[in-house]
Amino acid sequence: MVKNKSLIINFTLGNGSFFLISDNKTFTKKIKNLHKTEKLPLVFFDFLKKKKLKLDSSFVIYVNVGPGQIISIRNSIVLSKIISLVFGCKLLAFNNFDLLNAKKHKKTKALISLKNQNILLNVKNKNINKIKKEDLAKFNNYKSNLELNIKDIKSLLLKNRFAKKIVPISF
């Protein structure tokens, strides 16, 4: 079931994005190289102001809880909880395993490269392993792109498998 009013927050891999769906229109803000995710609320509310968008209690917020960069995840969870409290929106979580599923990822594993480390997601068992730089070449064929686009979001929302417990996935 696709909600007519949705806000998707995804900052698990350093780069991130906001997608706001309202009255069958989609507004997107992609952010590359945000050095301090503590600035997410400023960036988000500036995005709303520039697009002249209003949030209310009819919105559902979906936040990605990882795995990924824990500080970015924590800050996006804090932002989503603030928005939920201030505007009375429902808050749900998804993770990168759900995202791989929505992207119809065919491989059993997915390699995710973060700023200072690489992690291997076992899609089938939903577990996570850190990969050392010297072992990275063995797993290059599992490289995955977890950047969100509107097609992925629609697929993710249609699957409707969201958690109510908003806790970061660490590794």
Side-chain angles (χ1 to χ4, degrees):
M1 179 176 153
V2 177
K3 294 287 181 188
N4 198 22
K5 292 188 172 190
S6 303
L7 170 63
I8 298 91
I9 301 173
N10 180 33
F11 282 87
T12 60
L13 305 177
N15 297 331
S17 54
F18 299 113
F19 288 87
L20 192 132
I21 302 168
S22 180
D23 301 322
N24 295 320
K25 294 179 185 173
T26 303
F27 303 91
T28 306
K29 173 72 173 175
K30 292 191 178 196
I31 302 165
K32 302 252 186 229
N33 301 321
L34 182 65
H35 298 292
K36 293 191 177 263
T37 55
E38 292 84 0
K39 294 181 181 179
L40 277 179
L42 298 173
V43 172
F44 176 72
F45 288 108
D46 185 53
F47 164 65
L48 287 181
K49 187 177 177 182
K50 284 182 180 174
K51 298 288 185 181
K52 298 178 181 167
L53 300 169
K54 302 266 188 225
L55 289 178
D56 58 39
S57 61
S58 64
F59 277 83
V60 178
I61 303 167
Y62 303 94
V63 62
N64 191 340
V65 295
Q69 292 180 342
I70 194 70
I71 301 300
S72 297
I73 295 167
R74 181 200 66 200
N75 290 334
S76 56
I77 289 172
V78 168
L79 173 62
S80 63
K81 285 186 176 186
I82 289 169
I83 295 167
S84 175
L85 287 170
V86 170
F87 296 101
C89 304
K90 185 175 180 179
L91 178 59
L92 298 171
F94 67 99
N95 59 51
N96 283 328
F97 295 106
D98 298 327
L99 186 52
L100 286 165
N101 188 6
K103 286 179 165 287
K104 297 176 177 53
H105 185 76
K106 302 284 186 227
K107 298 178 181 175
T108 58
K109 296 179 182 174
L111 179 65
I112 310 282
S113 295
L114 305 171
K115 286 181 183 175
N116 300 324
Q117 58 191 351
N118 297 289
I119 57 173
L120 188 67
L121 306 179
N122 185 321
V123 180
K124 185 178 179 184
N125 300 334
K126 291 192 175 183
N127 62 16
I128 308 155
N129 294 308
K130 290 183 184 179
I131 304 297
K132 296 177 185 174
K133 283 187 179 183
E134 56 268 14
D135 296 333
L136 193 57
K138 296 181 207 174
F139 300 101
N140 271 339
N141 60 326
Y142 292 115
K143 276 190 177 177
S144 299
N145 177 10
L146 285 180
E147 191 171 311
L148 271 174
N149 61 44
I150 194 63
K151 181 181 171 189
D152 300 330
I153 288 171
K154 286 181 180 176
S155 178
L156 192 64
L157 294 177
L158 283 171
K159 291 190 182 299
N160 200 23
R161 293 185 188 150
F162 299 100
K164 292 181 181 177
K165 188 174 181 182
I166 314 296
V167 178
I169 297 175
S170 59
F171 51 93

